[in-house]
Amino acid sequence: MSAWDDLKEAVCNCTKCGLSQTRTNAVFGEGDPRADVLFVGEGPGKDEDLQGRPFVGAAGKVLTKMLDEIGLKREDVFIGNIIKCRPPKNRDPRPDEIEACKQYLFAQIAQIEPKVICTLGRHSLHTLVKPDISISREHGKPIRWEGMLYLPMYHPAASLYRGQIMDYLRFDFQQLRDLLDRGV
Ligand code: URA
Ligand code: SF4
């Protein structure tokens, strides 16, 4: 088995935190394991937990549409999350759960070697870059941090609650398109 398959199996069978007791399926993520672009969301919701796939519910529809608008398919990128198992009632992941889970994400990043990591929402931004970055101020602006290029984006789910966020999200995806066109 490849290192990638080993990693997937480790995540799918993981019991390192309490979320293993309430999940239906762990969500490893999906897409191209050698993608230039890695999207990192927060964690699985209800639909994702049931299907074992990332961003397949309402927020996922928005993400898929945003990708389509800049000429990308889900298979062209890799879509993952900070936390691989659904927190009960979609509560925020706790710091100890993020701590337990984030080594999987770091291992995914090391294997994918993306050119740019698009953080979706503040949990992803604050876990991967720095906890004091304001998403409303910094979204759509690339950040170089510890040798990696990050593009902070709003979370697609936020657009379901506040229509104006859809415009911000479109802006963020356009910045991604520009980065790719310039060959990041
Ligand atoms: N929201 C997320 O942050 N991740 C998913 O996989 C689905 C919804
Ligand atoms: Fe393991 Fe992460 Fe799932 Fe916790 S959330 S059980 S650390 S895969």
Side-chain angles (χ1 to χ4, degrees):
M1 271 215 311
S2 67
W4 185 253
D5 291 337
D6 287 346
L7 184 57
K8 192 168 184 175
E9 190 172 296
V11 167
C12 293
N13 298 318
C14 180
T15 55
K16 282 203 308 159
C17 86
L19 297 179
S20 61
Q21 282 157 39
T22 47
R23 73 171 178 233
T24 314
N25 293 293
V27 178
F28 179 71
E30 68 183 20
D32 179 358
R34 302 294 304 167
D36 288 343
V37 186
L38 169 62
F39 286 89
V40 181
E42 179 180 328
K46 185 163 185 269
D47 299 294
E48 292 77 20
D49 173 71
L50 289 174
Q51 294 185 41
R53 295 179 56 209
F55 282 95
V56 288
K61 281 213 178 86
V62 176
L63 175 60
T64 307
K65 179 170 149 47
M66 289 292 136
L67 284 169
D68 183 63
E69 286 185 9
I70 61 162
L72 291 174
K73 293 193 284 293
R74 288 173 66 107
E75 309 84 82
D76 298 331
V77 300
F78 194 85
I79 303 171
N81 281 303
I82 292 289
I83 203 142
K84 313 302 191 206
C85 304
R86 181 193 183 202
K89 301 192 180 130
N90 297 347
R91 66 160 167 76
D92 283 351
R94 292 197 317 243
D96 59 308
E97 293 159 350
I98 293 178
E99 202 49 45
C101 207
K102 71 183 183 188
Q103 62 142 14
Y104 292 127
L105 178 62
F106 294 155
Q108 288 176 310
I109 293 170
Q111 292 198 33
I112 297 170
E113 299 184 303
K115 289 187 176 152
V116 56
I117 298 179
C118 300
T119 58
L120 299 171
R122 71 190 160 87
H123 284 286
S124 175
L125 177 63
H126 293 171
T127 301
L128 284 171
V129 190
K130 274 185 283 187
D132 57 351
I133 303 177
S134 154
I135 194 154
S136 55
R137 242 180 327 212
E138 301 302 329
H139 74 95
K141 300 181 196 162
I143 302 175
R144 278 224 177 261
W145 175 250
E146 293 182 343
M148 178 58 75
L149 184 65
Y150 292 92
L151 183 59
M153 293 183 166
Y154 269 97
H155 195 290
S159 71
L160 303 170
Y161 308 112
R162 261 181 71 200
Q164 199 193 359
I165 303 271
M166 191 66 97
D167 297 335
Y168 298 152
L169 205 52
R170 250 193 202 106
F171 173 83
D172 295 346
F173 274 77
Q174 198 51 56
Q175 304 318 301
L176 173 61
R177 182 71 266 167
D178 291 351
L179 281 177
L180 295 175
D181 289 347
R182 279 190 272 131
V184 273

